[in-house]
């Protein structure tokens, strides 16, 4: 059955096709009536959908991560395309599904990003850091998890392989910027860029709809990342019979725990080393630019110069390059 992907939907388009149910909420309007607020997805993106005059049975018959068949019509509301549904049901006929329509993992892009990371880690001059990188890169289970992990549930790099892309881009940026400053230990900075978000492998569920795991919600990727570093160091020490430099370990831990930059943004410590300050700002730059570019690409306002007002950043964005 032919279907229109999310990124090709237009205003006023009638829909009779499958989606994956990314999220579901049941809400009550001002008149006391219930409605469903949903997120529908495929490999090209996610779109909000609403079913008015719903009841609890409409909510309970569909589950997050499942395929659903929808009837409805698209419309633009405040510059954003959405779907007003007239019907939604769990999909029972799996022949209606082409897995290629919903698999957003790009194996070629993952191979390229992983190759860049391997080259950078393999080029480190610091023996301890290079050997630590080898511990991670020899772990096939870890590499398979890294290949498909997302860097976020929403906002930047929120797709399978997004963490790998973000990590590779950040390491390449640090490789270019770090040598410009005499006091920066570039090897330390690069290993910090590799390590900083690895905990997201276990923080965010890799299958179906992106969501936080129990461990992710209870512990968080920063603490998980420090734990992963400790496990890798213990493995390296067992393999070599030599202790890992304690100060170097402390510096790596600081890079992980401070990379969000501010206490209110989740960092247990503020960046206190030159490498940590640089890592935070480059990480923030990559995340912000990726998020802003996504806002521009998904904007549906008729204004060719400006996006619709973006509440999350408190401004419109200039669209013309």
């Amino acid at each position: 059955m032919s279907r229109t992907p999310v990124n090709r939907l237009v205003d006023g388009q009638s829909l009779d096709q499958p989606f994956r149910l990314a999220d579901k909420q049941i809400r009550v309007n001002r008149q006391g009536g219930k409605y469903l607020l949903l997120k529908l997805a495929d490999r090209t993106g996610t779109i909000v959908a609403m079913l008015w005059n719903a009841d609890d049975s409409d909510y309970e018959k569909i589950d997050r991560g499942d395929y659903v068949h929808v009837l409805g019509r698209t419309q633009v509301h405040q510059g954003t395309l959405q779907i007003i549904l007239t019907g939604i049901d769990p999909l029972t006929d799996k022949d209606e599904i082409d897995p290629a329509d919903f698999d957003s993992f790009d194996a070629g892009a993952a191979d390229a990003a992983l190759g860049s990371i391997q080259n950078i880690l393999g080029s480190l001059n610091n023996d301890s850091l290079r050997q630590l990188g080898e511990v991670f890169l020899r772990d096939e289970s870890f590499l398979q998890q890294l290949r498909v992990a997302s860097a976020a549930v929403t906002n930047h790099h929120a797709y399978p392989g997004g963490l790998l892309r973000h990590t590779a881009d950040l390491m390449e940026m640090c490789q270019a910027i770090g040598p410009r400053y005499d006091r920066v230990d570039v090897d330390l900075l690069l290993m910090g860029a590799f390590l900083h978000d690895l905990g997201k492998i276990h923080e965010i569920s890799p299958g179906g709809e992106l969501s936080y795991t129990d461990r992710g919600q209870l512990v968080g990727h920063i603490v998980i990342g420090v734990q992963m570093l400790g496990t890798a160091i213990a493995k390296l020490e067992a393999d070599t019979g030599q202790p890992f430099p304690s100060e170097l370990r402390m510096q790596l831990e600081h890079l992980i725990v401070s990379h969000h930059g501010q206490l209110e943004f989740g960092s247990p410590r503020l960046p206190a080393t030159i490498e940590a300050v640089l890592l935070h700002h480059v990480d923030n730059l990559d995340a912000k630019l990726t998020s802003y570019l996504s806002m521009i690409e998904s904007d549906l306002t008729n204004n060719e110069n400006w996006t619709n007002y973006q509440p999350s950043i408190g401004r419109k964005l200039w669209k013309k390059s």
Side-chain angles (χ1 to χ4, degrees), residues 3 6 17-23 38-43 45-47 63-70 88 91 97-99 101-104 160 207-210:
R3 64 182 303 277
V6 168
Q17 65 179 52
F19 288 92
R20 177 179 285 130
L21 180 62
D23 192 23
L38 311 171
K39 288 184 180 179
L40 304 176
D42 62 18
R43 72 180 305 274
T46 303
I47 187 169
D63 292 317
R64 293 180 181 89
D66 286 352
Y67 293 113
V68 293
H69 189 100
V70 309
I88 181 169
L91 192 62
I97 293 296
D98 182 351
D101 290 339
F102 298 92
D103 184 3
S104 57
E209 172 53 21
L210 297 176

Side-chain angles (χ1 to χ4, degrees), residues 38 40 49-52 70-73 83-88:
L38 311 171
L40 304 176
M50 287 182 287
L51 179 67
W52 302 111
V70 309
L71 299 174
R73 190 174 184 85
I83 303 174
I84 302 300
L85 299 175
T86 56
I88 181 169

Side-chain angles (χ1 to χ4, degrees), residues 190-298:
L190 289 170
M191 181 56 72
F194 172 69
L195 294 170
H196 83 289
D197 267 351
L198 289 188
K200 290 184 175 180
I201 289 174
H202 303 292
E203 181 183 49
I204 301 172
S205 175
E209 172 53 21
L210 297 176
S211 61
Y212 291 105
T213 64
D214 291 341
R215 187 181 179 194
Q217 299 212 63
L218 290 171
V219 181
H221 76 275
I222 288 178
V223 174
I224 296 172
V226 173
Q227 294 171 340
M228 293 174 69
L229 171 62
T231 300
I233 288 176
K235 177 68 166 59
L236 177 59
E237 290 177 334
D239 289 345
T240 63
Q242 299 293 323
F244 191 84
S246 59
E247 182 172 324
L248 185 58
R249 175 175 183 161
M250 182 171 59
Q251 295 273 17
L252 292 173
E253 291 172 338
H254 180 70
L255 287 166
I256 296 171
V257 303
S258 67
H259 77 267
H260 280 186
Q262 299 183 47
L263 302 180
E264 57 267 38
F265 292 160
S267 276
R269 289 291 182 266
L270 297 176
T273 66
I274 295 300
E275 292 80 13
V277 171
L278 180 52
L279 177 63
H280 160 62
H281 285 288
V282 178
D283 177 40
N284 191 49
L285 174 64
D286 186 52
K288 285 290 192 297
L289 284 181
T290 301
S291 178
Y292 286 16
L293 287 168
S294 178
M295 292 178 190
I296 292 172
E297 292 167 359
S298 63

Side-chain angles (χ1 to χ4, degrees), residues 14-40:
S14 295
L15 293 177
D16 178 4
Q17 65 179 52
F19 288 92
R20 177 179 285 130
L21 180 62
D23 192 23
K24 65 171 185 173
Q25 299 178 37
I26 187 165
R27 295 188 175 185
V28 179
N29 61 28
R30 294 178 180 177
Q31 291 72 41
K34 294 181 179 180
Y35 68 96
L36 297 187
L37 178 63
L38 311 171
K39 288 184 180 179
L40 304 176

